[in-house]
């Protein structure tokens, strides 16, 4: 794996920080020390120049990769400027909400007997009209379950409910879907189960085999779609992320050993700006271990939380961009990685405004385009990583 010059520079910075750490607690308040530590991560001289005018879509395609983003229906439907940016920059669209069981607005599953495909169909048509690939998120998850779920689904009918959902939803788009996140976030090492499975309603109602059932039914229903297991918390050199990487690998090995048709790992890659525990060697090894199982890899929800970063947008944007480029330099070095999707395209519409808002009230800046749809250094970082990626 080529040594990424910027990552070795980062290592030098971290060594410097290590020295500071021994001083850090002397005299300085912790929060002031932490912001100093994070400011020290900023490298004002780092070069983020992106050569040429090509869009992220074009730069990805030139390497046999796909770049795209998640988008929520109300934004894409009502914001023509955002929609135009989306078509220019993205080669694949994933509904942020429309293919989950239930997100307030126009839910897919308003009641046990009804499917409302209004949003998902409109977005499928938008993708088709604009020659975009379409991907589904997500058939089985413990979040975004409908209000009626807990009073309606029980151990007697759970499998029938699950199978009907997958057959109806995946069946509607069969042959048109690039890939499906069949099961999302099934691993939680803090649950201390031997199999490290998250204690979700699906596990409690159906046992661990709910995962195998979901993939088998999805494969029967849409043999053309790439079937993905998707999860988060796999990025950093922390005990938690290391444990989760190990648990995800064991899950994938278990599934493969039983002939369960999982074909790819989706790595959400919600990065944390200012997180210094980044080990490119360990991360690269993880990607290699997944690929060695014959699985493809998609980066499915890339963004950078900037809540711990300084308010100064020039500093913040540089640190966010550095996080993106350093991460993608490792990820895209693995030929099994076929796609990079950000979870949103513009800071105008990002889940992090609600879920990881800043204590100073400043608008978050996690995505390639700013709220005025102008490219940021984050855009440059992704462009540079795509330009540097080995051709597939
Ligand atoms: C998030 C959406 O972006 C939010 O709008 C919603 O309120 C909660 O879910 N991992 C996932 C995504 O797999 O489905 C989540 O999306 C973000 C974390």
């Amino acid at each position: 794996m080529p040594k990424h010059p910027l990552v070795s520079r980062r290592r030098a910075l971290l060594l410097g920080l290590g020295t500071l750490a021994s001083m850090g607690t002397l005299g300085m308040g912790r929060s002031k020390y932490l912001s100093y530590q994070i400011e020290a991560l900023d490298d004002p001289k780092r070069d983020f120049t992106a050569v040429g005018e090509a869009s992220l879509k074009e730069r990805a395609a030139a390497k046999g990769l796909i770049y795209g983003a998640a988008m929520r229906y109300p934004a894409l439907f009502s914001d023509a400027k955002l929609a135009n940016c989306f078509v220019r920059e993205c080669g694949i669209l994933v509904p942020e909400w429309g293919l989950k069981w239930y997100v307030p607005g126009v839910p897919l599953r308003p009641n046990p007997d009804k499917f409302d495909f209004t949003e998902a169909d409109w977005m499928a048509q938008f993708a088709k009209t604009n020659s975009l690939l379409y991907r589904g998120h997500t058939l089985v998850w413990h979040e975004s379950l409908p209000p009626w779920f807990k009073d309606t689904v029980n151990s007697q009918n759970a499998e029938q409910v699950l199978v009907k959902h997958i057959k109806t939803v995946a069946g509607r788009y069969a042959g048109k879907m690039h890939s499906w996140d069949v099961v999302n976030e099934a691993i939680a090492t803090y649950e201390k189960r031997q199999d490290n499975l998250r204690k979700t309603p699906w596990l409690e109602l159906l046992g661990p085999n709910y995962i195998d059932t979901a993939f088998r039914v999805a494969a029967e229903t849409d043999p053309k779609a790439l079937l993905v297991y998707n999860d988060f918390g796999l990025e950093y050199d922390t005990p938690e992320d290391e444990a989760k990487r190990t648990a995800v690998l064991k899950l994938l090995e278990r599934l493969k050993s039983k002939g369960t048709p999982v074909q790819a790992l989706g790595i959400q890659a919600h990065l944390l700006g200012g997180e210094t525990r980044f080990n490119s060697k360990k991360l690269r090894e993880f990607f290699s271990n997944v690929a060695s199982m014959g699985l493809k890899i998609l980066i499915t929800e890339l963004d950078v939380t900037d809540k711990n970063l300084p308010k100064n947008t020039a500093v913040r944007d540089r640190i966010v961009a550095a996080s993106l480029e350093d991460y993608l330099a490792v990820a895209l070095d693995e030929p099994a990685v076929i796609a990079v999707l950000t979870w949103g395209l513009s800071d105008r519409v990002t889940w992090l405004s609600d879920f990881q808002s800043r204590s100073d009230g400043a608008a978050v800046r996690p995505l390639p385009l700013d709220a005025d749809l102008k490219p940021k250094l984050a855009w440059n970082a992704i462009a540079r990583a795509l330009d540097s990626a080995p051709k597939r």
Side-chain angles (χ1 to χ4, degrees):
M1 189 264 293
K3 185 132 184 64
H4 194 286
L6 296 169
V7 176
S8 53
R9 181 189 187 88
R10 186 188 190 90
R11 194 176 295 281
L13 262 176
L14 299 185
L15 285 175
L17 284 177
T19 319
L20 283 173
S22 55
M23 301 158 56
T25 48
L26 300 175
M28 258 190 231
R30 180 164 170 68
S31 59
K32 184 159 175 46
Y33 158 65
L34 276 178
S35 61
Y36 183 83
Q37 188 189 39
I38 285 178
E39 293 255 2
L41 263 183
D42 176 31
D43 177 2
K45 295 190 180 64
R46 181 161 175 168
D47 178 14
F48 288 108
T49 307
V51 176
E53 302 302 316
S55 67
L56 296 180
K57 167 161 65 177
E58 291 162 334
R59 291 170 197 261
K63 295 300 178 73
L65 285 158
I66 305 163
Y67 169 76
M71 197 49 70
R72 51 187 75 162
Y73 166 80
L76 203 56
F77 181 80
S78 61
D79 187 337
K81 286 183 180 169
L82 178 59
N84 290 338
C85 284
F86 193 96
V87 173
R88 184 185 71 240
E89 295 291 347
C90 298
I92 189 167
L93 165 65
V94 58
E96 182 178 355
W97 294 341
L99 282 168
K100 291 173 178 173
W101 281 58
Y102 190 98
V103 174
V106 186
L108 178 64
R109 300 299 309 273
N111 65 53
D113 306 314
K114 191 162 180 271
F115 293 78
D116 184 338
F117 289 101
T118 306
E119 289 196 6
D121 282 356
W122 187 92
M123 293 181 93
Q125 187 55 49
F126 180 89
K128 184 178 179 187
T129 305
N130 293 289
S131 308
L132 304 176
L133 296 170
Y134 195 42
R135 83 175 308 261
H137 174 83
T138 173
L139 292 171
V140 184
W141 192 25
H142 60 285
E143 301 281 359
S144 297
L145 288 174
W148 51 262
F149 188 91
K150 57 187 177 308
D151 300 331
T152 309
V153 185
N154 54 51
S155 50
Q156 280 71 46
N157 67 8
E159 182 161 4
Q160 181 265 335
V161 170
L162 177 64
V163 170
K164 179 183 170 190
H165 182 84
I166 296 172
K167 284 189 172 179
T168 307
V169 178
R172 189 177 185 87
Y173 305 104
K176 302 174 198 163
M177 209 49 116
H178 168 267
S179 53
W180 266 109
D181 288 335
V182 176
V183 174
N184 194 33
E185 304 182 355
I187 292 289
T189 53
Y190 59 78
E191 301 268 28
K192 305 293 181 203
R193 280 176 56 99
Q194 204 212 333
D195 57 13
N196 287 304
L197 290 181
R198 184 187 299 274
K199 290 176 182 169
T200 71
W202 296 113
L203 178 71
E204 274 145 34
L205 289 165
L206 293 171
N209 277 352
Y210 82 90
I211 299 173
D212 306 83
T213 302
F215 276 96
R216 290 187 194 285
V217 175
E220 288 159 18
T221 308
D222 186 354
K224 288 208 168 73
L226 184 74
L227 303 182
V228 183
Y229 171 72
N230 194 50
D231 217 329
F232 69 95
L234 303 166
E235 291 75 33
Y236 292 108
D237 189 15
T238 63
E240 300 77 17
D241 284 17
E242 184 62 30
K244 187 145 187 188
R245 285 190 291 270
T246 302
V248 165
L249 287 173
K250 284 183 179 160
L251 170 66
L252 294 171
E253 283 159 359
R254 263 200 319 276
L255 296 175
K256 295 287 289 179
S257 69
K258 290 189 280 182
T260 298
V262 55
Q263 295 153 352
L265 172 64
I267 300 176
Q268 292 184 13
H270 293 297
L271 305 182
L272 181 58
E275 173 55 74
T276 55
R277 294 165 292 180
F278 177 81
N279 183 319
S280 57
K281 185 169 179 294
K282 280 189 182 177
L283 186 63
R284 184 67 185 85
E285 194 178 324
F286 173 66
F287 277 85
S288 297
N289 290 341
V290 175
S292 66
M293 287 189 233
L295 296 174
K296 295 296 183 193
I297 303 169
L298 296 85
I299 308 301
T300 53
E301 304 183 16
L302 183 63
D303 54 20
V304 185
T305 291
D306 66 2
K307 64 189 290 188
N308 298 328
L309 299 183
K311 186 170 185 178
N312 177 305
T313 54
V315 174
R316 214 176 341 150
D317 286 357
R318 279 196 299 267
I319 295 175
V320 165
S323 302
L324 288 166
E325 188 167 351
D326 289 352
Y327 179 80
L328 288 176
V330 176
L332 296 180
D333 186 60
E334 170 50 63
V337 174
I338 61 170
V340 175
L341 291 97
T342 45
W343 201 244
L345 179 63
S346 156
D347 300 339
R348 186 180 287 188
V349 183
T350 169
W351 73 301
L352 296 177
S353 298
D354 301 322
F355 282 78
Q356 296 289 346
S357 57
R358 293 176 52 88
S359 56
D360 60 16
V364 296
R365 296 171 66 86
L367 291 168
L369 305 184
D370 69 14
D372 296 325
L373 306 180
K374 298 278 179 298
K376 294 161 43 202
L377 290 183
W379 185 96
N380 293 49
I382 296 171
R384 289 166 55 87
L386 293 168
D387 291 348
S388 304
K391 192 171 171 56
R392 269 68 180 148

